Amino acid sequence: MLLIRKALTETEPFAWKSEHYDFPLVSVWPGRTQVPHPPMLSSGNSPESVSFAARHRFPIAISFFDPSRVAALTTQFREEARAAGWTPSAHDILYRAWIALGENDAEAHEIRAKFLPRGAGPPPEAVPGAPGGPPANLGPHNRTGPDPVASGFGIGSVQFAAGPDTVIKQIREFHETTGAGILDLSFGRASQEITVASIRRFGEKVLPEIRDLGTSAA
């Protein structure tokens, strides 16, 4: 990442020597066409990658972890970034997750069951905020459960699953807990009709209510 960033910022050929790479001459042709170059996001899925990003002033991208795990990683990121002399904003933290967005909560959990592989993720009744399940409790003063640093990679789970009003609440609580300002959402493996309807529903009913989150303080 450091080599790529230098290649996108240097206007003249340069030499590059590091622990793993030794290039006597690096020359990028044709040259860059966008100044400054597009944002480069570093992985934020481990304490080691978070430390690297903080030291070198890269935004981070975290994928699929539960809120407590994300909060632990983003707290580490902000603390180490400040130690390195800079303060990340909400826009420096991206979170990637699955979303099942129905017309209401019950329909959302039907969608969730359709696009996940059999046996993947917790049952609906165990999902915070789901009908019949435990409260969402995503706020910073309600973190319970296993040690967030030891939590597993939750690629089979759906972080946001509900109707529009509940999803808005879930996203706001997630932001309050983690400080993440950018969401990269996958609307799942349901039919094209269901997926298109969910995306349209998100744009019309959810997005207008959460636009301010990316501009709030991390």
Side-chain angles (χ1 to χ4, degrees), residues 153-174:
F153 193 58
I155 194 168
S157 63
V158 180
Q159 186 57 55
F160 308 110
D165 290 343
T166 306
V167 160
I168 291 168
K169 180 181 178 182
Q170 290 175 347
I171 291 175
R172 287 190 173 277
E173 290 176 341
F174 185 87

Side-chain angles (χ1 to χ4, degrees), residues 29-199:
W29 298 101
R32 56 186 178 174
T33 58
Q34 180 174 327
V35 180
H37 61 77
M40 293 177 61
L41 282 78
S42 177
S43 169
N45 283 333
S46 71
E48 294 79 10
S49 60
V50 166
S51 292
F52 171 84
R55 289 196 311 271
H56 297 288
R57 304 194 177 203
F58 285 111
I60 58 171
I62 301 173
S63 302
F64 305 115
F65 283 125
D66 62 49
S68 60
R69 174 64 164 149
V70 177
L73 292 166
T74 57
T75 297
Q76 176 196 347
F77 178 56
R78 288 189 289 268
E79 290 174 350
E80 295 196 22
R82 282 193 288 269
W86 67 292
T87 302
S89 72
H91 281 123
D92 291 313
I93 302 171
L94 177 147
Y95 177 64
R96 177 180 294 112
W98 296 101
I99 181 172
L101 181 61
E103 188 63 35
N104 50 53
D105 291 0
E107 182 182 89
H109 289 286
E110 290 179 3
I111 294 172
R112 174 187 178 278
K114 289 178 180 178
F115 74 72
L116 279 180
R118 183 180 299 275
E125 61 271 15
V127 177
N137 286 339
L138 297 181
H141 304 296
N142 295 302
R143 295 176 192 152
T144 59
D147 178 0
V149 176
S151 299
F153 193 58
I155 194 168
S157 63
V158 180
Q159 186 57 55
F160 308 110
D165 290 343
T166 306
V167 160
I168 291 168
K169 180 181 178 182
Q170 290 175 347
I171 291 175
R172 287 190 173 277
E173 290 176 341
F174 185 87
H175 173 74
E176 181 184 357
T177 298
T178 66
I182 302 176
L183 293 178
D184 178 9
L185 299 175
S186 174
F187 286 79
R189 303 168 184 160
S191 68
Q192 181 178 0
E193 180 181 1
I194 291 175
T195 301
V196 170
S198 295
I199 294 172

Side-chain angles (χ1 to χ4, degrees), residues 101 187 198-208 211:
L101 181 61
F187 286 79
S198 295
I199 294 172
R200 181 177 294 112
R201 190 176 295 123
F202 184 88
E204 293 175 352
K205 297 183 178 181
V206 177
L207 189 58
R211 285 187 182 276

